[in-house]
Amino acid sequence: MSGRPPSAAVLVLHGGYETGLAAPAPGAMNLPGMRMLPFVRVVARAVRGDSGVRVQRVRYTHRGWNGHREDPLHDTVRALDALRREAGDIPVVLLGHSMGARAALHAAGHPLVRSVVGLAPWCPPGDPVTQLAGRDVVLLHSTRDRVTSPLASQSLTARARRAGARTCLVTIPGSDHAMIRRAPAWHHLAGLLVSGMLGLGPVPGRVEAAFGLPPGAAASEGTLPLDGIDTGAPSRRRCGAARVGRR
């Protein structure tokens, strides 16, 4: 990479498959990757007032998670390590969809990571949450998702809160796993959350309130319907301290 090192970064992680050792398809043939391009554009616009923020996609070596190999996790950690060598201890937000959200959640223990925004995340019940302590975690999930489970996302936010994370689940009625239905809502909220987590704009007040829930709060208390969120709330934050197949 050339130019001035970034002062903060957003790493974008696309979805994939439960298994698959082949390399991801190139260019427009990589549909999970193409699905994230609108998010890259929206986030880039949301942070453009601060030219020091880099928005960067994580490149995968394999198309699948591949069980204990956890290939996308290692790709994400390598990207974070490279960023740290280049720019030092800058704040990073991870934005991932499906399998990419799972990789983001697993990689959240990296010293650079301050926050995770997971879109239709793949959250198997036994996945760890201790690495999320001290992080802000917002998951967005359609109530009609038939590929990954919104109930599993709700469970993860509650478990992570007990482990010391600040968490929230936003449910999106009438959408789908691919985020095609109600796509503008997904894009807008993702951009709003990322910019807010970097301290560059407002975080919705109800999301902020969910972050303040006590560790033992019920999962339902941290679950918010999209249509009930005020995206113009004045609160600001600063970065500090399934089915087999496509994911």
Side-chain angles (χ1 to χ4, degrees), residues 92-156:
V92 173
V93 177
L94 301 180
L95 172 65
H97 173 241
S98 195
M99 182 188 77
R102 187 182 188 188
L105 290 164
H106 278 241
H110 191 281
L112 296 191
V113 178
R114 303 297 188 270
S115 309
V116 175
V117 178
L119 313 172
W122 177 22
C123 302
D127 272 10
V129 294
T130 55
Q131 77 283 359
L132 298 170
R135 274 63 174 175
D136 292 340
V137 178
V138 181
L139 305 183
L140 282 56
H141 218 133
S142 167
T143 56
R144 295 184 179 179
D145 197 322
R146 296 296 181 266
V147 178
T148 59
S149 168
L151 289 178
S153 286
Q154 186 181 60
S155 174
L156 186 136

Side-chain angles (χ1 to χ4, degrees), residues 2 12 33 35 60 68 114 153 199 220 223:
S2 59
V12 180
R35 189 172 290 129
Y60 298 154
H68 294 302
R114 303 297 188 270
S153 286
S220 59
T223 301

